[in-house]
Amino acid sequence: DLKSFHLSICNDLFEGQQLKNIETQIINYFDEIHQFMDDNKTDKTDRFLYDQLIPYGELLSTKIIHSCLIRESVKSLWCDARSCIKTDSTHQSANVDWTTSVSQINTIMNKGFENHRVMVTQGFIGSDNKGNTTTLGREGSDYSASIFAYSLDAKDVTIWKDVPGVLNADPRFFSDTTLLTNISYSEAIELAFYGASVIHPKTLQPLQRKDIPLYVKSFLNPKLNGTTVSREIKIKPMIPCFIIKPNQTLLKLSSLDFSFIVEKNISEIFELLHKYQMKVDMIQNLSLIHIS
């Protein structure tokens, strides 16, 4: 079904030799998927399998977009992000190897971009030093944009959303929300860290290090100004912000001998949570410990 879906899009968009070329690329990607599934039945973890398969969505869509640009006579360069963004092997939430990534991105741009106007690449994906595909976690596509921007000393970054910009509350839960037209990096990171889904803190940190402004705009209304995120600007308008955190699990831990839970015990608990990649949003330490 997925293969037919992508091929039908190509049939609607292209014709002649260009249609044959993009069809060949689409079919080759699905052949790779089938071969991978045949070769990897049960010997790898689910996180590894996820990272090898999910990125094909990015690869397929960017190939089609790149071909559309070529059709419209736009000088477009297609780049496999896995050759640029290098990470460790923490699947589904990989950590970026910044030194290698910056070097790779600049090498590829210097070699191939002189005669091109637009570069099309993927968000969300990278690769480890063994050549395995990795993914960058929640909002990984925005994070990819900030990695490229940091590496290339970009003037600014724009990310496009289905909302007018950064709002003071999630419109899925609140009917009356207000657009924040200006917000500082630190305020935006706080909002993102505590659950505002429109921007991930990882996206902001590389931009903050080089003072690269971020614009959050709506692809539904692209002429609207959206939100500007930059250094040392006050939140505007100055109003409260609200964050909803659904589906939280509360753990209550106490010692069997009624002794207090102190820093040593907390470090052991967090070591276990880290081992099993369980995210902690809040902790309260009294005579017993509450973890959410």
Side-chain angles (χ1 to χ4, degrees), residues 100-136:
T100 305
S101 296
V102 169
S103 174
Q104 287 291 99
I105 288 170
N106 278 279
T107 297
I108 289 171
M109 291 293 284
N110 290 334
K111 281 184 178 179
F113 203 60
E114 299 93 339
N115 299 318
H116 298 86
R117 188 173 144 217
V118 174
M119 185 179 81
V120 177
T121 189
Q122 306 77 41
F124 182 62
I125 65 174
S127 67
D128 63 16
N129 59 10
K130 297 178 183 177
N132 295 316
T133 304
T134 56
T135 58
L136 303 177

Side-chain angles (χ1 to χ4, degrees), residues 86 115 150 175 200:
K86 311 305 290 184
N115 299 318
Y150 176 90
S175 59
H200 195 280

